Each structure stands twice: as C-alpha cells, then as structure tokens.
Amino acid sequence: MADEALFLLLHNEMVAGLYRAAEQGEGENGRCTTKLESMGFRVGQGLIERFTKDTARFKDELDIMKFICKDFWTTVFKKQIDNLRTNHQGIYVLQDNKFRLLTQMSAGKQYLEHAPKYLAFTCGLIRGGLSNLGIKSIVTAEVSSMPACKYFSMYSIT
Amino acid sequence: MSRPPGRKQENYKISRELFVLTYGALVAQLCKDYEKDEDVNTCLDRMGYGIGVRLIDDFLAHSAVKKCRSYSETADMIAQVAFKMYLGVTPSVRCSSAAGNEFSLILDKNPLVDFVEELPAERASLCYCNLLCGVIRGALEMVHLAAEVTFLQDRLKGDAVTEIGITFLRKAEDRKHKRN
C-alpha cells in the first residue's frame, strides 16, 4: 500500500536530518547512531505491544525469533527474513537479502560505508520488540553487499 | 493455514502505527536536541519538505490523477485523494479568501496524534504535526505551485479542530499565461 513510501521517506529524512545536525553541531557520529537506535527501541516496544495483543503465548526464544522473522518483518517490511541461523546458545543471525530500506540505495558495493546509518533504527526496532517480549538482547547489524544485510541478536544468557 | 479475515486490515493498521510511532519518537528526540520550540518546528518543516518533494512522485504514480485546473481542485485533491491515501482520513476543504487562493483543510481526526494525549507544559508552542505542512509545501512545489502552509488551529493546543491553511502564492494571471 502507499503507506510504505511514507515510512521509507520519513526514515531517510530522519537519518539525514540527524547527521546534518551533528555536522553543524559538535559532530560525533557515534551519537547519531545511538539516537537512531534508541528511537527504534521506543518504536519497537510500542509496535510489538500492538501487534501481539491477540497472539498466543510464545513457547521459547526460538518461537519469538521466528515470530519476529515472519509476522513482524512481514508487517513492517512487507517480506519475511530470508534466513535465520542460531547457535542455540543465545546468538541469532537474521539475514535479509533484499532489505527494503537499502534497496533504493544501491545494489552492490556502492555507498557501503553509509549503509550502517540506515540499519541503526531497525536494530533498535528489533531490540525494542524483544525487550517487551521479555528478552534482553544486544542487536547489531552488518552489511557486506547491498541490499543484503544481517542482524545479529545476542541474548543475555540467564 | 486459515487466518481470521481481519488480518490484512490489522497489518495495514500496524504499518500506519509504525509510521505514527516513528514520528512520535522523532519529535521526542528533536525536543531533546533543541531547546526552543521554533527550532523543532523548523526542523520538522524542513524534514517534511524533503519528504514532500519525493512523496509527490509516489502519489502521482499511485493515483494517476489528471492535471488540476484550479487551486480549489488542487486543494480538493490534497484533501480527498492524498490524505486518504496516506493517512486514511479525509479533511474537509474550506475556501477562506475571495481571491480563491487561500484554503483550509479541517481535520477532525488526525492519525499522527493517535498516541499523544497532550503537549507538555514547557512545549506549549510546539507544532507537533509540522511535518505535514512541510510535506504539502514540498509536494506542491514539485508541481510548480508555490504555497505557504501553516497550522491555523491545533487540537493539541486546545482548539476544537486541527486546521491547516494553504495559501497559493502565484497570482491567477500567471496560471492563465502558462496554459498557452
């Protein structure tokens, strides 16, 4: 639906606006990423609440990750995660071969150094979603060739 | 696997909520970064402009509308097609000048403030939805219509409805000239 464009454009403007403000101000790239990630965290928390209002209780971590990969990703990015891997000890790798926030940017190695800026929000989104489902985690992302990217989610082992 | 029939609508609602929540997080972050309300408003307007100049292409591609022949047609198009397509609401249009170049869009339901109860006391002059003004301004500029867009009334500030005022800046004679 037409809504996809709205979120995509807003996200791009957010990244551009924050980095532009950082350039004019004290200029610390690291802080922009943190800000984007914390925004994503707030949104992820709220979104997962609205989303799982009527779903059944999750059996275990793997169930939650599958939910994130299928239903959550489909609703937010209109496609599923292409590959989910785990070492069964708290580390999950979500691979998306055609990440929607990066498809419009390039298809290969061009602009690779700018890609991480556009992944920060989504890292926060995943972390926020997991946090409200009761899982404390650290989420990072890696891009080797646009528009494919991988999200690493590390649970604290309790 | 059979799914309940309302699932697609729910998904659609959630995509919209994603946008609304993201917008809220953005405004909150801007409020943390800037102390003055005017700075936040300007920042939102500029971001909205950046979105508007790109959104117009998406709008024209999805809606395939014909060229508007008058300012009032343009205002109607914004209200009845664009707002409906992107925000799911249809504001009512009111022409507020005899010259026919000033219009107001009156929104009695604004989806952007779905999760906002009220503005905090120290942010009394924040235009929460200023992004919308920038979007409309940017989009109109890309179809060669210079306009000034501002908020005339805002429900979050205590008014009865939310009213966006659009003032088209070119004179009517210019438009007739262009059609040749």
Side-chain angles (χ1 to χ4, degrees):
Chain A
M1 291 247 42
D3 276 351
E4 312 163 12
L6 263 185
F7 174 65
L8 213 68
L9 290 173
L10 179 65
H11 179 261
N12 289 351
E13 276 302 319
M14 263 166 38
V15 177
L18 272 179
Y19 276 88
R20 188 173 38 216
E23 262 171 55
Q24 290 166 359
E26 308 89 59
E28 267 181 52
N29 255 2
R31 251 198 263 160
C32 292
T33 321
T34 317
K35 284 184 193 170
L36 280 169
E37 213 260 352
S38 60
M39 277 200 261
F41 183 76
R42 280 177 74 153
V43 177
Q45 281 185 313
L47 207 61
I48 205 83
E49 273 178 10
R50 314 284 297 172
F51 202 10
T52 56
K53 189 157 57 109
D54 296 318
T55 54
R57 201 187 178 103
F58 295 110
K59 291 192 268 329
D60 57 12
E61 278 175 15
L62 189 57
D63 214 25
I64 295 180
M65 285 316 281
K66 283 196 209 161
F67 173 80
I68 301 260
C69 294
K70 289 200 198 136
D71 297 316
F72 189 71
W73 217 255
T74 312
T75 311
V76 176
F77 298 115
K78 307 292 180 296
K79 65 182 285 294
Q80 291 187 4
I81 285 275
D82 296 305
N83 198 345
L84 171 67
R85 290 202 295 272
T86 175
N87 69 352
H88 294 290
Q89 280 169 11
I91 301 188
Y92 292 84
V93 183
L94 293 82
Q95 184 167 346
D96 191 336
N97 290 333
K98 217 175 160 211
F99 188 50
R100 288 206 69 236
L101 298 180
L102 293 178
T103 42
Q104 312 285 337
M105 258 187 264
S106 91
K109 305 276 185 196
Q110 198 187 20
Y111 299 125
L112 199 59
E113 66 277 9
H114 296 289
K117 300 180 198 168
Y118 293 88
L119 301 175
F121 184 84
T122 316
C123 286
L125 203 68
I126 301 175
R127 189 168 70 90
L130 290 174
S131 142
N132 258 17
L133 290 174
I135 295 173
K136 262 194 162 155
S137 61
I138 299 174
V139 181
T140 55
E142 172 192 278
V143 187
S144 49
S145 165
M146 308 251 255
C149 65
K150 289 190 195 159
Y151 290 93
F152 297 87
S153 162
M154 286 159 264
Y155 295 155
S156 53
I157 301 168
T158 42
Chain B
M1 196 172 107
S2 68
R3 279 192 166 172
R7 189 79 190 179
K8 210 165 180 194
Q9 220 182 21
E10 264 176 53
N11 284 352
Y12 178 60
K13 228 173 36 132
I14 293 187
S15 327
R16 172 144 314 134
E17 286 180 2
L18 170 66
F19 177 70
V20 173
L21 286 169
T22 309
Y23 185 65
L26 172 67
V27 177
Q29 184 63 48
L30 286 176
C31 286
K32 263 190 244 172
D33 287 342
Y34 296 106
E35 276 178 23
K36 291 205 260 182
D37 292 344
E38 295 79 44
D39 290 338
V40 180
N41 291 343
T42 317
C43 201
L44 284 174
D45 188 72
R46 191 173 45 207
M47 284 197 192
Y49 180 80
I51 294 178
V53 302
R54 296 171 179 88
L55 197 67
I56 185 71
D57 282 334
D58 185 81
F59 171 69
L60 292 173
H62 274 108
S63 64
V65 291
K66 295 214 184 70
K67 187 168 172 155
C68 290
R69 263 170 299 209
S70 67
Y71 289 144
S72 76
E73 246 185 83
T74 313
D76 285 334
M77 191 69 66
I78 297 176
Q80 284 155 16
V81 186
F83 263 84
K84 182 92 174 95
M85 189 190 286
Y86 290 111
L87 293 177
V89 291
T90 314
S92 50
V93 185
R94 199 171 49 96
C95 180
S96 48
S97 84
N101 65 338
E102 277 177 34
F103 296 87
S104 320
L105 301 174
I106 300 172
L107 288 147
D108 43 309
K109 191 168 113 59
N110 185 356
L112 282 182
V113 305
D114 266 351
F115 301 116
V116 182
E117 275 186 26
E118 56 175 19
L119 291 176
E122 62 271 13
R123 292 282 176 190
S125 56
L126 176 70
C127 285
Y128 184 81
C129 303
N130 220 25
L131 193 96
L132 287 181
C133 293
V135 172
I136 298 177
R137 187 167 61 90
L140 286 174
E141 195 170 306
M142 285 295 116
V143 287
H144 305 294
L145 286 173
E148 256 174 36
V149 189
T150 49
F151 268 92
L152 299 173
Q153 288 189 73
D154 196 348
R155 228 199 206 135
L156 283 178
K157 294 187 187 159
D159 300 314
V161 289
T162 307
E163 190 177 338
I164 303 177
I166 306 179
T167 309
F168 292 100
L169 296 175
R170 293 243 187 85
K171 296 196 207 109
E173 292 87 314
D174 282 327
R175 297 216 66 204
K176 280 202 205 126
H177 198 257
K178 260 195 184 164
R179 226 176 295 155
N180 290 342

mmCIF file of all heavy atoms in Angstrom, chain B residues 42-72:
data_model
loop_
_atom_site.group_PDB
_atom_site.id
_atom_site.type_symbol
_atom_site.label_atom_id
_atom_site.label_comp_id
_atom_site.label_asym_id
_atom_site.label_seq_id
_atom_site.Cartn_x
_atom_site.Cartn_y
_atom_site.Cartn_z
ATOM 1 N N THR B 42 10.915 24.277 12.951
ATOM 2 C CA THR B 42 11.638 24.476 11.687
ATOM 3 C C THR B 42 12.227 23.168 11.188
ATOM 4 O O THR B 42 12.176 22.863 9.995
ATOM 5 C CB THR B 42 12.799 25.466 11.880
ATOM 6 O OG1 THR B 42 12.351 26.541 12.662
ATOM 7 C CG2 THR B 42 13.314 25.958 10.548
ATOM 8 N N CYS B 43 12.776 22.414 12.129
ATOM 9 C CA CYS B 43 13.387 21.143 11.745
ATOM 10 C C CYS B 43 12.347 20.202 11.149
ATOM 11 O O CYS B 43 12.571 19.574 10.116
ATOM 12 C CB CYS B 43 14.017 20.517 12.987
ATOM 13 S SG CYS B 43 15.259 19.333 12.582
ATOM 14 N N LEU B 44 11.174 20.132 11.799
ATOM 15 C CA LEU B 44 10.114 19.264 11.288
ATOM 16 C C LEU B 44 9.656 19.721 9.920
ATOM 17 O O LEU B 44 9.427 18.911 9.020
ATOM 18 C CB LEU B 44 8.921 19.266 12.256
ATOM 19 C CG LEU B 44 9.075 18.450 13.528
ATOM 20 C CD1 LEU B 44 7.886 18.680 14.444
ATOM 21 C CD2 LEU B 44 9.169 16.975 13.194
ATOM 22 N N ASP B 45 9.545 21.035 9.754
ATOM 23 C CA ASP B 45 9.084 21.564 8.473
ATOM 24 C C ASP B 45 10.084 21.218 7.368
ATOM 25 O O ASP B 45 9.709 20.821 6.268
ATOM 26 C CB ASP B 45 8.916 23.083 8.584
ATOM 27 C CG ASP B 45 8.256 23.654 7.353
ATOM 28 O OD1 ASP B 45 7.043 23.429 7.178
ATOM 29 O OD2 ASP B 45 8.936 24.305 6.549
ATOM 30 N N ARG B 46 11.380 21.324 7.714
ATOM 31 C CA ARG B 46 12.387 21.037 6.694
ATOM 32 C C ARG B 46 12.380 19.566 6.322
ATOM 33 O O ARG B 46 12.517 19.189 5.163
ATOM 34 C CB ARG B 46 13.759 21.450 7.215
ATOM 35 C CG ARG B 46 14.827 21.447 6.133
ATOM 36 C CD ARG B 46 16.114 22.011 6.625
ATOM 37 N NE ARG B 46 16.442 21.488 7.933
ATOM 38 C CZ ARG B 46 17.192 22.140 8.806
ATOM 39 N NH1 ARG B 46 17.696 23.307 8.497
ATOM 40 N NH2 ARG B 46 17.440 21.623 9.987
ATOM 41 N N MET B 47 12.228 18.705 7.343
ATOM 42 C CA MET B 47 12.155 17.272 7.050
ATOM 43 C C MET B 47 10.930 16.976 6.202
ATOM 44 O O MET B 47 10.987 16.177 5.263
ATOM 45 C CB MET B 47 12.049 16.470 8.342
ATOM 46 C CG MET B 47 13.328 16.343 9.080
ATOM 47 S SD MET B 47 13.153 15.013 10.253
ATOM 48 C CE MET B 47 14.597 15.281 11.207
ATOM 49 N N GLY B 48 9.832 17.633 6.551
ATOM 50 C CA GLY B 48 8.601 17.420 5.792
ATOM 51 C C GLY B 48 8.780 17.841 4.344
ATOM 52 O O GLY B 48 8.315 17.171 3.423
ATOM 53 N N TYR B 49 9.492 18.921 4.140
ATOM 54 C CA TYR B 49 9.752 19.387 2.778
ATOM 55 C C TYR B 49 10.513 18.330 2.000
ATOM 56 O O TYR B 49 10.170 17.999 0.860
ATOM 57 C CB TYR B 49 10.548 20.692 2.838
ATOM 58 C CG TYR B 49 10.857 21.259 1.484
ATOM 59 C CD1 TYR B 49 9.898 21.988 0.788
ATOM 60 C CD2 TYR B 49 12.095 21.073 0.888
ATOM 61 C CE1 TYR B 49 10.170 22.509 -0.457
ATOM 62 C CE2 TYR B 49 12.372 21.583 -0.360
ATOM 63 C CZ TYR B 49 11.408 22.299 -1.021
ATOM 64 O OH TYR B 49 11.688 22.800 -2.264
ATOM 65 N N GLY B 50 11.561 17.782 2.629
ATOM 66 C CA GLY B 50 12.332 16.732 1.982
ATOM 67 C C GLY B 50 11.478 15.533 1.632
ATOM 68 O O GLY B 50 11.647 14.906 0.582
ATOM 69 N N ILE B 51 10.525 15.198 2.520
ATOM 70 C CA ILE B 51 9.650 14.064 2.239
ATOM 71 C C ILE B 51 8.678 14.422 1.129
ATOM 72 O O ILE B 51 8.432 13.646 0.207
ATOM 73 C CB ILE B 51 8.870 13.665 3.514
ATOM 74 C CG1 ILE B 51 9.827 13.131 4.563
ATOM 75 C CG2 ILE B 51 7.808 12.630 3.201
ATOM 76 C CD1 ILE B 51 9.143 12.768 5.862
ATOM 77 N N GLY B 52 8.131 15.642 1.177
ATOM 78 C CA GLY B 52 7.119 16.062 0.213
ATOM 79 C C GLY B 52 7.612 16.039 -1.216
ATOM 80 O O GLY B 52 6.909 15.587 -2.126
ATOM 81 N N VAL B 53 8.872 16.513 -1.425
ATOM 82 C CA VAL B 53 9.354 16.574 -2.802
ATOM 83 C C VAL B 53 9.503 15.189 -3.404
ATOM 84 O O VAL B 53 9.487 15.030 -4.618
ATOM 85 C CB VAL B 53 10.689 17.353 -2.919
ATOM 86 C CG1 VAL B 53 10.532 18.746 -2.385
ATOM 87 C CG2 VAL B 53 11.814 16.638 -2.270
ATOM 88 N N ARG B 54 9.634 14.172 -2.549
ATOM 89 C CA ARG B 54 9.725 12.805 -3.067
ATOM 90 C C ARG B 54 8.383 12.107 -3.062
ATOM 91 O O ARG B 54 8.101 11.270 -3.917
ATOM 92 C CB ARG B 54 10.719 11.996 -2.231
ATOM 93 C CG ARG B 54 12.118 12.543 -2.351
ATOM 94 C CD ARG B 54 13.075 11.891 -1.363
ATOM 95 N NE ARG B 54 14.402 12.426 -1.522
ATOM 96 C CZ ARG B 54 14.870 13.498 -0.904
ATOM 97 N NH1 ARG B 54 14.123 14.132 -0.035
ATOM 98 N NH2 ARG B 54 16.088 13.940 -1.133
ATOM 99 N N LEU B 55 7.553 12.478 -2.099
ATOM 100 C CA LEU B 55 6.271 11.793 -1.970
ATOM 101 C C LEU B 55 5.358 12.089 -3.149
ATOM 102 O O LEU B 55 4.519 11.275 -3.517
ATOM 103 C CB LEU B 55 5.591 12.237 -0.667
ATOM 104 C CG LEU B 55 4.471 11.350 -0.186
ATOM 105 C CD1 LEU B 55 4.998 10.012 0.237
ATOM 106 C CD2 LEU B 55 3.737 12.004 0.963
ATOM 107 N N ILE B 56 5.525 13.268 -3.752
ATOM 108 C CA ILE B 56 4.631 13.651 -4.846
ATOM 109 C C ILE B 56 4.744 12.664 -6.005
ATOM 110 O O ILE B 56 3.746 12.314 -6.629
ATOM 111 C CB ILE B 56 4.923 15.112 -5.300
ATOM 112 C CG1 ILE B 56 3.932 15.570 -6.353
ATOM 113 C CG2 ILE B 56 6.331 15.244 -5.817
ATOM 114 C CD1 ILE B 56 2.559 15.806 -5.840
ATOM 115 N N ASP B 57 5.961 12.158 -6.247
ATOM 116 C CA ASP B 57 6.133 11.176 -7.324
ATOM 117 C C ASP B 57 5.364 9.911 -7.003
ATOM 118 O O ASP B 57 4.693 9.332 -7.848
ATOM 119 C CB ASP B 57 7.616 10.803 -7.478
ATOM 120 C CG ASP B 57 8.382 11.862 -8.227
ATOM 121 O OD1 ASP B 57 7.748 12.584 -9.028
ATOM 122 O OD2 ASP B 57 9.599 11.960 -8.027
ATOM 123 N N ASP B 58 5.497 9.473 -5.759
ATOM 124 C CA ASP B 58 4.793 8.273 -5.341
ATOM 125 C C ASP B 58 3.285 8.480 -5.455
ATOM 126 O O ASP B 58 2.550 7.617 -5.933
ATOM 127 C CB ASP B 58 5.184 7.957 -3.893
ATOM 128 C CG ASP B 58 4.588 6.658 -3.413
ATOM 129 O OD1 ASP B 58 5.145 5.600 -3.715
ATOM 130 O OD2 ASP B 58 3.537 6.704 -2.747
ATOM 131 N N PHE B 59 2.838 9.665 -5.041
ATOM 132 C CA PHE B 59 1.406 9.964 -5.101
ATOM 133 C C PHE B 59 0.893 9.925 -6.528
ATOM 134 O O PHE B 59 -0.121 9.304 -6.833
ATOM 135 C CB PHE B 59 1.144 11.341 -4.483
ATOM 136 C CG PHE B 59 -0.254 11.838 -4.689
ATOM 137 C CD1 PHE B 59 -1.315 11.227 -4.051
ATOM 138 C CD2 PHE B 59 -0.513 12.909 -5.528
ATOM 139 C CE1 PHE B 59 -2.616 11.675 -4.247
ATOM 140 C CE2 PHE B 59 -1.813 13.365 -5.722
ATOM 141 C CZ PHE B 59 -2.857 12.747 -5.082
ATOM 142 N N LEU B 60 1.621 10.618 -7.419
ATOM 143 C CA LEU B 60 1.150 10.673 -8.809
ATOM 144 C C LEU B 60 1.189 9.294 -9.455
ATOM 145 O O LEU B 60 0.343 8.953 -10.258
ATOM 146 C CB LEU B 60 1.994 11.664 -9.609
ATOM 147 C CG LEU B 60 1.802 13.121 -9.199
ATOM 148 C CD1 LEU B 60 2.793 14.019 -9.900
ATOM 149 C CD2 LEU B 60 0.382 13.575 -9.520
ATOM 150 N N ALA B 61 2.190 8.500 -9.078
ATOM 151 C CA ALA B 61 2.278 7.158 -9.653
ATOM 152 C C ALA B 61 1.125 6.291 -9.180
ATOM 153 O O ALA B 61 0.550 5.531 -9.943
ATOM 154 C CB ALA B 61 3.610 6.518 -9.272
ATOM 155 N N HIS B 62 0.762 6.409 -7.914
ATOM 156 C CA HIS B 62 -0.292 5.545 -7.375
ATOM 157 C C HIS B 62 -1.679 6.027 -7.715
ATOM 158 O O HIS B 62 -2.611 5.246 -7.794
ATOM 159 C CB HIS B 62 -0.187 5.483 -5.839
ATOM 160 C CG HIS B 62 0.771 4.438 -5.378
ATOM 161 N ND1 HIS B 62 1.983 4.727 -4.832
ATOM 162 C CD2 HIS B 62 0.680 3.095 -5.401
ATOM 163 C CE1 HIS B 62 2.606 3.604 -4.527
ATOM 164 N NE2 HIS B 62 1.846 2.603 -4.871
ATOM 165 N N SER B 63 -1.861 7.328 -7.868
ATOM 166 C CA SER B 63 -3.231 7.797 -8.014
ATOM 167 C C SER B 63 -3.605 8.102 -9.452
ATOM 168 O O SER B 63 -4.763 8.109 -9.788
ATOM 169 C CB SER B 63 -3.448 9.040 -7.165
ATOM 170 O OG SER B 63 -2.623 10.069 -7.655
ATOM 171 N N ALA B 64 -2.626 8.370 -10.307
ATOM 172 C CA ALA B 64 -2.881 8.631 -11.728
ATOM 173 C C ALA B 64 -3.988 9.654 -11.936
ATOM 174 O O ALA B 64 -4.895 9.460 -12.733
ATOM 175 C CB ALA B 64 -3.225 7.332 -12.454
ATOM 176 N N VAL B 65 -3.918 10.740 -11.179
ATOM 177 C CA VAL B 65 -4.955 11.767 -11.307
ATOM 178 C C VAL B 65 -4.619 12.667 -12.478
ATOM 179 O O VAL B 65 -3.483 12.765 -12.912
ATOM 180 C CB VAL B 65 -5.065 12.622 -10.027
ATOM 181 C CG1 VAL B 65 -5.630 11.798 -8.911
ATOM 182 C CG2 VAL B 65 -3.725 13.212 -9.650
ATOM 183 N N LYS B 66 -5.636 13.341 -12.973
ATOM 184 C CA LYS B 66 -5.412 14.264 -14.083
ATOM 185 C C LYS B 66 -4.925 15.588 -13.529
ATOM 186 O O LYS B 66 -4.993 15.864 -12.341
ATOM 187 C CB LYS B 66 -6.725 14.481 -14.833
ATOM 188 C CG LYS B 66 -7.256 13.253 -15.509
ATOM 189 C CD LYS B 66 -7.965 13.659 -16.811
ATOM 190 C CE LYS B 66 -8.594 12.469 -17.492
ATOM 191 N NZ LYS B 66 -9.749 11.917 -16.786
ATOM 192 N N LYS B 67 -4.458 16.435 -14.420
ATOM 193 C CA LYS B 67 -3.933 17.726 -14.004
ATOM 194 C C LYS B 67 -5.051 18.567 -13.396
ATOM 195 O O LYS B 67 -6.158 18.626 -13.912
ATOM 196 C CB LYS B 67 -3.387 18.421 -15.257
ATOM 197 C CG LYS B 67 -2.660 19.699 -14.977
ATOM 198 C CD LYS B 67 -1.934 20.137 -16.224
ATOM 199 C CE LYS B 67 -1.377 21.531 -15.998
ATOM 200 N NZ LYS B 67 -0.244 21.810 -16.823
ATOM 201 N N CYS B 68 -4.737 19.237 -12.311
ATOM 202 C CA CYS B 68 -5.746 20.083 -11.685
ATOM 203 C C CYS B 68 -5.798 21.420 -12.399
ATOM 204 O O CYS B 68 -4.761 21.983 -12.752
ATOM 205 C CB CYS B 68 -5.369 20.345 -10.217
ATOM 206 S SG CYS B 68 -5.529 18.893 -9.207
ATOM 207 N N ARG B 69 -7.007 21.917 -12.577
ATOM 208 C CA ARG B 69 -7.123 23.140 -13.374
ATOM 209 C C ARG B 69 -7.291 24.394 -12.537
ATOM 210 O O ARG B 69 -7.314 25.477 -13.051
ATOM 211 C CB ARG B 69 -8.288 23.010 -14.350
ATOM 212 C CG ARG B 69 -7.809 22.584 -15.723
ATOM 213 C CD ARG B 69 -8.989 22.241 -16.545
ATOM 214 N NE ARG B 69 -9.692 21.137 -15.913
ATOM 215 C CZ ARG B 69 -10.401 20.245 -16.582
ATOM 216 N NH1 ARG B 69 -10.488 20.331 -17.879
ATOM 217 N NH2 ARG B 69 -11.014 19.278 -15.958
ATOM 218 N N SER B 70 -7.461 24.222 -11.244
ATOM 219 C CA SER B 70 -7.643 25.417 -10.428
ATOM 220 C C SER B 70 -7.119 25.105 -9.038
ATOM 221 O O SER B 70 -6.882 23.964 -8.675
ATOM 222 C CB SER B 70 -9.118 25.798 -10.348
ATOM 223 O OG SER B 70 -9.800 24.808 -9.621
ATOM 224 N N TYR B 71 -6.920 26.179 -8.263
ATOM 225 C CA TYR B 71 -6.431 25.992 -6.913
ATOM 226 C C TYR B 71 -7.412 25.178 -6.077
ATOM 227 O O TYR B 71 -7.008 24.375 -5.244
ATOM 228 C CB TYR B 71 -6.190 27.347 -6.237
ATOM 229 C CG TYR B 71 -4.993 28.079 -6.799
ATOM 230 C CD1 TYR B 71 -5.002 29.465 -6.919
ATOM 231 C CD2 TYR B 71 -3.864 27.400 -7.209
ATOM 232 C CE1 TYR B 71 -3.917 30.146 -7.413
ATOM 233 C CE2 TYR B 71 -2.768 28.072 -7.708
ATOM 234 C CZ TYR B 71 -2.795 29.445 -7.810
ATOM 235 O OH TYR B 71 -1.713 30.120 -8.311
ATOM 236 N N SER B 72 -8.707 25.410 -6.308
ATOM 237 C CA SER B 72 -9.655 24.689 -5.460
ATOM 238 C C SER B 72 -9.656 23.202 -5.808
ATOM 239 O O SER B 72 -9.802 22.349 -4.936
ATOM 240 C CB SER B 72 -11.062 25.282 -5.576
ATOM 241 O OG SER B 72 -11.655 24.894 -6.781
#
